[in-house]
Amino acid sequence: MNPIISISGVGKTYASGHVALGAVDLDIREGEIFALLGPNGAGKTTLISVICGLVTPSSGTISVAGHDIIRDYKAARSTIGLVPQELHTDAFEKVIDTVQFSRGLFGKPRDDAFIEKILRDLTLWDKRNSKIMELSGGMKRRVMIAKALAHEPRILFLDEPTAGVDVELRKDMWRLVRRLRETGVTIILTTHYIEEAEEMADRVGVINKGQLLLVDDKDVLMHKLGTKTMTIHLDEAVTAIPEALQHWNLNLVRDGRDIEYTYDATAQQSEVPALISALQLSGVSYADISTRQSTLEDIFVGLVHAGDVSEAEVQA
Amino acid sequence: MNPPSLNWRGMAAIYRFEIHRFARTIWTSLMTPVITTSLYFIVFGSAIGSRMTDIGGIPYAAFIVPGLIMLSMFQESIFNASFGIYMPKWTGTIYEILSAPLSSLEIVLAYVGAAASKSIMVGMVIFATAHLFVDVDVAHPLAMVGFMALIAISFCLFGFILGVWAQSFEQLQVIPLLVIMPMTFLGGAFYSIHMLPEPWRTITLFNPIIYLISGFRWTFFGKGDVSIGISLIFIAAMLALCIGAVAWIFRTGYRLKK
Ligand SMILES: Nc1ncnc2c1ncn2[C@@H]1O[C@H](COP(=O)(O)OP(=O)(O)O)[C@@H](O)[C@H]1O
Ligand SMILES: [Mg+2]
């Protein structure tokens, strides 16, 4: 199947001389939820802006639904809905008017029933006659989503959809994204919340300093890079790793009450049974054993550290 | 390369949005020119005009009507068109216009078309107000309307350029205030250049506004300070300059795209 978006060699150097994107190659598959994950300043917004026609690329080519975004920009843009990172709204406009406006802007004939459906889906119907400035921040964000969906796009860009959004709205947003995907809409979201990429995405791309570090199925990515941690909860605390277990790569935690073993979850030959035998032979008595798959966060922090970004930035 | 068909619905959406924006302040935007024009008539038409001799056979109060209409239309056109594009830039909502399947031509037609419509309406309201004070017959009504349209479009294009260029409200206001206002006042709205002594008369000829007001006056009285042909050349030149500048803005993405 042809990718719905094909990005090849796309770079962007701003007028200031700042290189926001190196040379990015990326294919987005039709119907997937793709999460672009990276710290602030990684180039996520720049990449989206280039695809949507807001920023002129310095190099490379992009095609959307088979249309070159420069040569055939009208056809390309008709397929795209964009929810930008910042809340940009016309304060004095009514909700329903601004959504109708967006539909018209994209050349679609008026369709009151469809607009009503969107507003209902986003729980904006009761507010349809309110001026945008009377709405809360969360409601404004819903309005921006309604605007992006008003022309029935095949592709939806959500730039940091849940940044600064309360938990309830975030959950709503996730539900909405899943529902949209069921109708065949391809969704590309950017986030610096690992939790979000992990929760939502089919595939994840990790970007840092304008370089796409890796792209993979979320599950494969977690599997490929994931490590597991096995924790052995001891009956009695110890002060040191027992002699017989010294050659295993173990850590003593929780004041000696737990022993932790970190291992590659995808290794062909698991060392776990061997370790358990060794434990029994050494006479260490334990109450329980638990294992934990590393989260995308662990993977991400590892990758970004390799790319030499401070931890503070990652958590920002 | 633009696909052959225009995005009419997209243009209509912007046009309606702009007209809706004007409609929100319809009373102030119509009352302002009505009141200003009335004041001009009371001061220049009645108080001073009664002491003035006819200018080229035209009573002074009637003589200033075309100039007054032009004065307001210049201001309205620049103000409305520059605001129309500056506001979305300022609030950030321009992202939607720039990411929509609209060509630069379509964007300009919609914004400038809306602003020009309002200017023409204001021009008509002033014309009607003038009738309350003086009798003015229009020698060439069709030419008058056509002239109004040309002036509205040229100045709205200029306003559009200003709105794209401006990066603050101050910049938005400085050009109309410091450049256009003086040029219009010295552009023969209230006098004929033949009334000026040398060297002012020659200096005035370097002010392009002279040719625009003179041309508009021609549509009323069949004569102006300069021949109508020269006026038309100036309007054409101004239109061409503005269209060229707008084309350049969109080709380079100047202050719109990064
Ligand atoms: N208009 C601009 N001019 C110069 N530099 C910019 C501009 N916009 C963004 N940048 C820089 O480009 C980099 C990438 O920004 P951005 O794409 O917004 O990152 P992200 O969305 O991942 O946080 C940042 O270092 C940012 O400061
Ligand atoms: Mg961003």
Side-chain angles (χ1 to χ4, degrees), chain A residues 40-41 44-46 85 159-160 190:
Chain A
N40 283 326
K44 304 181 294 294
T45 300
T46 302
Q85 183 171 356
D159 197 357
E160 313 246 354
T190 74

Side-chain angles (χ1 to χ4, degrees), chain B residues 15-180:
Chain B
Y15 187 90
R16 256 186 274 113
F17 178 92
E18 285 293 286
I19 296 295
H20 189 211
R21 185 169 69 83
F22 302 144
R24 274 199 295 266
T25 53
I26 186 82
W27 290 115
T28 42
S29 41
L30 289 187
M31 283 318 285
T32 315
V34 167
I35 291 173
T36 348
T37 314
S38 304
L39 288 174
Y40 274 123
F41 271 111
I42 293 165
V43 175
F44 288 103
S46 310
I48 298 173
S50 55
R51 309 274 176 95
M52 301 273 287
T53 52
D54 290 1
I55 299 176
I58 305 159
Y60 185 70
F63 177 86
I64 62 173
V65 172
L68 281 179
I69 295 176
M70 285 288 104
L71 217 65
S72 284
M73 283 186 66
F74 292 163
Q75 278 169 8
E76 279 288 323
S77 301
I78 294 176
F79 179 77
N80 289 320
S82 62
F83 235 71
I85 191 70
Y86 181 78
M87 281 308 281
K89 248 178 50 174
W90 187 69
T91 59
T93 53
I94 194 148
Y95 83 87
E96 202 179 13
I97 308 287
L98 294 179
S99 63
L102 282 164
S103 68
S104 0
L105 176 71
E106 289 160 339
I107 295 174
V108 173
L109 281 179
Y111 275 106
V112 168
S117 304
K118 190 190 174 196
S119 296
I120 292 171
M121 194 172 77
V122 168
M124 292 298 185
V125 168
I126 296 174
F127 182 60
T129 311
H131 275 280
L132 300 177
F133 296 89
V134 278
D135 284 330
V136 262
D137 291 325
V138 179
H140 310 285
L142 269 184
M144 183 196 107
V145 175
F147 214 93
M148 274 176 129
L150 276 178
I151 289 289
I153 292 167
S154 312
F155 277 77
C156 286
L157 276 170
F158 178 75
F160 186 88
I161 295 164
L162 185 68
V164 170
W165 166 80
Q167 287 175 311
S168 64
F169 279 96
E170 198 189 0
Q171 287 185 346
L172 199 60
Q173 282 164 338
V174 76
I175 300 282
L177 225 64
L178 292 187
V179 181
I180 305 297

